[in-house]
Amino acid sequence: MIALQDFSRAAPVSATLPFGAMAAVPAQPKLNCASAAELRQQLATDFAASGDWFTLCRGLRRKGICLRMREGDLWVYDALSLAAISSCEDLGIDTDELELRFGPSQPQQAAAHGA
């Protein structure tokens, strides 16, 4: 796993939320421009080189990152703590373009570790 800076300021999301529900999760502060740019650079190769959701998620997982849906948007999460880091939109990642490339099957709601 590649060590990344801790971009999250939020407390870890409880892995015991029923059915992976994200209700009652506090609002996530936005990353500053420098942190967002660094994270975008760290993840850019995975998003550009992947040909499907599985390959993308596997590559991100090796970096300690996972993708989850949150309030209808695709978000980047810390894979160990399941703390929300940033929405893909805030990182400049076009989720509509990902759906065109990979198909409509997006990553699942945030759930227990190892999901």
Side-chain angles (χ1 to χ4, degrees):
M1 182 180 327
I2 295 175
L4 292 176
Q5 279 184 330
D6 181 11
F7 294 98
S8 173
R9 296 188 215 310
V13 175
S14 172
T16 60
L17 290 174
F19 307 109
M22 292 306 296
V25 174
Q28 176 69 25
K30 291 194 175 213
L31 296 177
N32 64 41
C33 291
S35 294
E38 183 178 343
L39 180 58
R40 183 174 33 252
Q41 182 180 6
Q42 291 281 339
L43 305 180
T45 302
D46 295 296
F47 279 96
S50 298
D52 55 41
W53 287 113
F54 177 78
T55 306
L56 174 61
C57 291
R58 184 179 59 195
L60 294 177
R61 186 71 169 200
R62 289 182 180 147
K63 294 180 178 180
I65 299 293
C66 62
L67 296 176
R68 299 285 186 250
M69 294 301 293
R70 177 179 174 173
E71 299 172 5
D73 295 322
L74 188 60
W75 278 66
V76 173
Y77 279 74
D78 178 275
L80 295 176
S81 68
L82 291 181
I85 297 172
S86 176
S87 72
C88 287
E89 181 180 333
D90 288 345
L91 294 176
I93 299 165
D94 185 353
T95 55
D96 291 334
E97 189 267 335
L98 291 176
E99 278 194 10
L100 288 174
R101 284 175 47 204
F102 303 155
S105 195
Q106 291 187 343
Q108 299 298 310
Q109 294 286 339
H113 295 277

